Amino acid sequence: MDKELQIRQVMWAATMHTAEQLRLTRRESFDDLMEGQLVLVATPHSINIGNVRMVYEETETTRTEKYYVENVLLYEHKYDNPEPTWGEHPTTVSHLPEQVVIYVSY
């Protein structure tokens, strides 16, 4: 068996086992995580487990909410500041790789 394929199969099996043990649910969307929420982020080569930490940054013209798990930036919401209020719909910028699976606690 190809070593790369074997590694990916082991990682996905470990991901599913870990998510089951932690009672996490697979999530298709990732852009509405909550501060403190337990999250498992898996790729074919790694698993990252931790609580979501949101970092808020604001300037006169923009507002950004950055979402991290274990100091890894998952995504960010960027808001423009049209006068007189913040835009209702942020631009979401993902920092996740294409082959990613996310499990979350509810």
Side-chain angles (χ1 to χ4, degrees):
M1 178 185 284
D2 177 342
K3 198 63 151 176
E4 178 69 22
L5 176 59
Q6 185 179 15
I7 290 169
R8 290 190 346 212
Q9 288 175 336
V10 168
M11 287 303 296
W12 291 131
T15 296
M16 290 173 40
H17 176 74
T18 303
E20 183 179 295
Q21 293 298 309
L22 294 172
R23 294 186 174 95
L24 302 177
T25 303
R26 186 172 175 166
R27 188 92 162 293
E28 295 301 319
S29 65
F30 64 87
D31 60 350
D32 60 351
L33 300 176
M34 297 177 290
E35 175 83 25
Q37 186 173 28
L38 181 62
V39 176
L40 181 153
V41 179
T43 71
H45 297 98
S46 67
I47 298 174
N48 189 358
I49 304 169
N51 295 81
V52 174
R53 179 175 55 91
M54 195 270 287
V55 174
Y56 178 82
E57 298 172 354
E58 185 173 333
T59 67
E60 289 183 22
T61 58
T62 63
R63 183 176 78 187
T64 305
E65 299 168 350
K66 295 182 178 182
Y67 293 82
Y68 294 86
V69 170
E70 296 299 316
N71 296 320
V72 175
L73 179 60
L74 303 179
Y75 67 94
E76 54 191 301
H77 286 158
K78 294 185 175 193
Y79 296 84
D80 289 327
N81 185 7
E83 296 297 329
T85 62
W86 289 105
E88 291 181 23
H89 303 287
T91 300
T92 300
V93 178
S94 173
H95 295 275
L96 295 169
E98 283 189 30
Q99 291 185 321
V100 67
V101 178
I102 296 178
Y103 291 84
V104 299
S105 64
Y106 285 99

